[in-house]
Amino acid sequence: MKERTLLLIIVLILVAAASLPLFPMRLRVEAGWGTVEKILDWWDIELLAARTGRDPFSLLGEARELGYSTVGVSDYDIRTLQAAGRIVPVSRPVGLADSLRYFSVPDPELREEIAAHLVLLGKTVRTEGTLLGVNVFPEEEDKISLGWNRTLIASLREQGYRVVLRPRNFQGIPPEVLKRILADDLWIDTPGMISVGDEVFGYGDSRSLAAMAEYLEESGTWWGYVEFVGQKGETALARLASDVTVRVHSIPPDELKNFTPREARDRFLRAVRERSIRLLYVRLFTEPSFTIWEKNRDYLASLSLELEERGFTFGPVEPLDPFTPGLFSLVLYGFAVALAFTAVYGAFFPGRWIVMALAGVFLLGMIVFNRAEGMRYMGFFAGLSFPALSVFLLVDSYREKLPVIRSVVLAFLVLFAGSLVVGLGQFDRSYVLRIDQYWGVKASLVVPIILVLLYLFKTKALGRSIPAVADGALRRYELIIVGILAVGSVLFLTRTGNFPLWPAGAIESRMRILLEEVMFMRPRTREFLLGYPALWLLFVYRGKGIRAIFQLLLWLGASIGFVTFFNSFCHIHTGLLFVLLRFLNALVLSLPVTAGYLVCIWIATHLWRWVGRYQG
């Protein structure tokens, strides 16, 4: 115990020394993320204008007054042009034996643009008067670019709008063709581009993707890395062109139709506030039941107002400048993680000094010779060690009946130290852009909890050993509780990530929205409803002879709260002050929650005793 305490004091000193230069660096970098750019989709504007009988530039002008001065313009495709009535499929002209598909294109400018662009892509094109024959198959109708509305783009630029191009990828496009497309004057005044569809522009040929990245870097054109969409080739392009990568949040039309305007607004606000997104591609509600422009205008106004009230300004967004933790700080963190891992190992096995030497050599070697991999492994081992160590300290203090405040403060200091190893030691541009992400999320959520359970049995803190449990020492109702516990653990794991198997229900969603409005930064549910109340209940009932199974449940709950705290720091794209505020909110909110639990326990206990009088 004394030896471990000494190790942890050294760990705290090392982490503090390493964090001194990194903490202000991260705050300084994040302070420059206060500008948000909002982009509207021209197709949405044009569609709403057609349905309401308004001029699209008039609608766009109203949106501009609300802070929307950037417009995304997609290239032509067959389905969109057909929906707009600008091309009409026709039968093959008499006397022609080719296998082309023919369309009537009355607009000569559009016909010329389509023909020239398809020839550039290597497609077969034939013109017969106003007819245009192309070898574009039906399944390619929304995947093959037909060129651009140059008149529209020129008009938008003349009126002072920033135009973001939205090209669609041509699968397997050769690099020489890609370079000819990018040499078009259309791209010269383009601040950025966001690919259309499920592939980034240039995907399908590694040479083309490299050429795309080279063009972006040389021209200073940023490209939009859209979160949650999963476009093919996005990670490869982000690595090749990290200097001009900008993360984007959008709600696709197919998903947006299931949202209310308030829900859509709140999702954008969470993206800005919780994930440091600074580029919002705002799609409009264009469903037939939602075609009134005034409702969309109110939606846009509400989003702008909420962002302004939270201190954000509107303007052009630029890619992030490079930043990364210094080597000296990483070396100190490496030493600290090696010591923490040694302390966890020593809680179960002998030979800790050999383990410390091996862990230290491995981590420091990785950090010095391959910094990116060193940061990855350092964060991984920190996630396994620090949350478990924190609960180990609480278990020991619980058994020895040490002062509560001192025990809790020391445990949180150790947990906070491990969190800083990740939150500051991985504060690199590639992690903020989510090109790289914390490695081992599931392991950091599961392994510490397993270690805590093993430690409880090893130290006999529950009055039981593992062999005793194996021999059937648990009662029938305790086995039922253990079964429920196993199911709950699985559900706990599925609640992590952006696409959980068991999403939040209606009641929980409303609770989250309320907490966001009241507390600015919503605390994590597993912390204020489960983790910290379980910890407070353990110390409230310490020495009162509560059953081992209930102690086990409370220790499990406390462990879940601690690993959740650590997990919050693994989201490098979330502002550090927001993470700290989230923790403080959870800590404060856990106190009235605990009081409520105590009242429920008191009522349940008295009811149990009252019912017990009438038994037998």
Side-chain angles (χ1 to χ4, degrees):
M1 177 69 176
K2 292 182 179 179
E3 194 174 278
R4 186 198 300 161
T5 302
L6 178 61
L7 277 178
L8 293 180
I9 291 174
I10 297 174
V11 166
L12 293 177
I13 293 173
L14 289 173
V15 171
S19 303
L20 281 176
L22 298 184
F23 197 87
M25 184 269 284
R26 177 164 179 175
L27 294 180
R28 184 172 60 253
V29 170
E30 291 179 348
W33 298 349
T35 300
V36 176
E37 184 169 9
K38 309 186 299 300
I39 307 175
L40 293 181
D41 187 85
W42 174 258
W43 170 245
D44 290 347
I45 295 290
E46 198 168 39
L47 185 59
L48 283 173
R51 288 179 174 173
T52 57
R54 299 277 302 277
D55 174 50
F57 281 94
S58 172
L59 300 185
L60 193 60
E62 292 184 31
R64 189 175 191 173
E65 295 175 359
L66 301 173
Y68 298 81
S69 57
T70 306
V71 183
V73 178
S74 304
D75 48 12
Y76 289 130
D77 70 272
I78 289 179
R79 289 185 184 176
T80 303
L81 289 175
Q82 275 191 257
R86 301 191 64 185
I87 64 172
V88 179
V90 297
S91 302
R92 183 186 300 110
V94 177
L96 295 180
D98 57 45
S99 59
L100 302 181
R101 300 174 66 204
Y102 280 85
F103 298 86
S104 171
V105 188
D107 185 343
E109 185 178 334
L110 175 61
R111 190 167 61 248
E112 182 180 343
E113 173 68 25
I114 294 175
H117 196 79
L118 288 178
V119 168
L120 187 62
L121 292 179
K123 289 288 186 178
T124 301
V125 179
R126 183 169 186 169
T127 56
E128 293 287 337
T130 62
L131 299 184
L132 186 67
V134 298
N135 63 336
V136 176
F137 300 104
E139 58 269 20
E140 296 179 308
E141 287 188 352
D142 60 344
K143 295 180 172 59
I144 295 292
S145 172
L146 302 184
W148 300 89
N149 189 337
R150 297 174 184 272
T151 302
L152 168 66
I153 293 172
S155 179
L156 288 169
R157 286 172 173 170
E158 287 174 2
Q159 296 186 40
Y161 293 98
R162 275 167 58 93
V163 177
V164 172
L165 296 183
R166 302 212 61 197
R168 67 196 69 233
N169 187 52
F170 178 41
Q171 178 67 264
I173 184 171
E176 58 274 11
V177 173
L178 178 67
K179 289 178 181 179
R180 287 200 294 271
I181 291 175
L182 295 174
D184 192 322
D185 290 345
L186 189 75
W187 288 82
I188 293 177
D189 296 324
T190 300
M193 73 98 175
I194 303 174
S195 299
V196 171
D198 59 357
E199 300 173 351
V200 297
F201 196 35
Y203 173 77
D205 188 318
S206 58
R207 298 170 302 160
S208 297
L209 208 56
M212 185 75 240
E214 181 181 1
Y215 167 80
L216 294 171
E217 295 272 8
E218 291 180 354
S219 66
T221 304
W222 54 256
W223 79 280
Y225 190 172
V226 186
E227 65 173 2
F228 307 153
V229 172
Q231 292 179 313
K232 297 175 183 177
E234 60 181 11
T235 303
L237 183 58
R239 292 189 185 281
L240 292 169
S242 58
D243 287 343
V244 289
T245 299
V246 177
R247 288 176 57 236
V248 183
H249 185 77
S250 185
I251 307 176
D254 289 342
E255 188 178 355
L256 184 65
K257 64 184 180 183
N258 299 319
F259 281 68
T260 65
R262 177 172 178 173
E263 290 171 342
R265 180 204 69 186
D266 290 343
R267 176 162 151 173
F268 279 117
L269 291 176
R270 281 192 295 272
V272 172
R273 189 172 51 193
E274 299 184 14
R275 298 191 300 280
S276 303
I277 296 290
R278 293 297 174 263
L279 196 61
L280 305 179
Y281 199 89
V282 184
R283 301 303 301 264
L284 299 178
F285 291 87
T286 57
E287 289 295 301
S289 60
F290 202 118
T291 55
I292 301 176
W293 166 247
E294 284 69 22
K295 289 187 177 180
N296 275 290
R297 185 181 59 196
D298 292 342
Y299 162 56
L300 297 178
S302 175
L303 177 57
S304 294
L305 179 62
E306 290 291 335
L307 288 169
E308 285 181 335
E309 289 182 348
R310 283 162 173 75
F312 296 102
T313 58
F314 305 136
V317 169
E318 300 297 334
L320 298 176
D321 293 327
F323 49 84
T324 193
L327 181 60
F328 178 72
S329 292
L330 289 179
V331 168
L332 293 182
Y333 281 147
F335 273 120
V337 172
L339 291 176
F341 184 75
T342 302
V344 171
Y345 179 89
F348 298 96
F349 307 105
R352 69 182 68 183
W353 304 115
I354 297 176
V355 172
M356 182 175 69
L358 292 175
V361 170
F362 173 75
L363 287 175
L364 296 179
M366 291 295 294
I367 289 170
V368 172
F369 295 106
N370 189 335
R371 185 178 298 194
E373 287 299 305
M375 292 165 63
R376 186 187 301 271
Y377 280 102
M378 181 184 69
F380 175 74
F381 284 106
L384 302 185
S385 305
F386 282 92
L389 271 179
S390 303
V391 184
F392 289 0
L393 289 172
L394 290 170
V395 171
D396 292 337
S397 65
Y398 185 87
R399 287 191 303 115
E400 299 175 15
K401 297 184 179 180
L402 299 177
V404 175
I405 295 179
R406 188 184 74 179
S407 303
V408 171
V409 168
L410 180 59
F412 272 109
L413 282 177
V414 172
L415 180 62
F416 185 59
S419 302
L420 289 181
V421 169
V422 175
L424 298 179
Q426 292 187 339
F427 187 66
D428 180 88
R429 182 176 63 179
S430 65
Y431 282 86
V432 173
L433 292 174
R434 303 193 78 178
I435 299 170
D436 292 309
Q437 297 190 53
Y438 177 79
W439 183 52
V441 172
K442 298 299 184 186
S444 68
L445 290 171
V446 176
V447 173
I449 296 175
I450 295 174
L451 292 173
V452 168
L453 293 178
L454 293 175
Y455 190 74
L456 287 169
F457 287 116
K458 180 183 181 298
T459 59
K460 296 184 179 179
L462 304 174
R464 306 279 178 88
S465 63
I466 292 180
V469 173
D471 290 339
L474 288 181
R475 299 180 180 181
R476 185 177 301 171
Y477 80 90
E478 292 179 335
L479 288 173
I480 295 174
I481 292 176
V482 170
I484 296 173
L485 188 62
V487 174
S489 298
V490 172
L491 293 176
F492 161 70
L493 288 178
T494 65
R495 292 301 302 274
T496 61
N498 297 311
F499 304 102
L501 295 177
W502 184 43
I507 296 177
E508 185 177 352
S509 297
R510 286 195 291 269
M511 180 189 71
R512 290 180 175 185
I513 293 173
L514 177 63
L515 290 174
E516 285 177 359
E517 294 177 350
V518 173
M519 307 188 77
F520 182 73
M521 192 66 178
R522 176 181 59 83
R524 302 192 74 170
T525 306
R526 291 188 295 273
E527 287 185 70
F528 80 87
L529 275 184
L530 178 61
Y532 305 147
L535 180 60
W536 309 144
L537 289 174
L538 275 167
F539 283 100
V540 168
Y541 289 105
R542 182 172 64 175
K544 296 184 179 180
I546 60 174
R547 290 186 178 277
I549 188 64
F550 297 124
Q551 289 187 50
L552 180 62
L553 289 172
L554 291 175
W555 281 118
L556 179 65
S559 301
I560 289 175
F562 274 44
V563 297
T564 302
F565 173 94
F566 181 88
N567 180 256
S568 296
F569 284 80
C570 298
H571 302 165
I572 310 299
H573 52 278
T574 301
L576 185 58
L577 292 180
F578 288 108
V579 175
L580 294 174
L581 179 59
R582 168 174 274 173
F583 159 67
L584 291 175
N585 285 342
L587 200 63
V588 171
L589 199 55
S590 70
L591 298 177
V593 169
T594 304
Y597 289 164
L598 288 171
V599 171
C600 292
I601 292 171
W602 183 85
I603 294 174
T605 301
H606 281 72
L607 283 175
W608 181 263
R609 291 173 181 171
W610 181 75
V611 172
R613 295 176 185 175
Y614 300 96
Q615 291 181 351

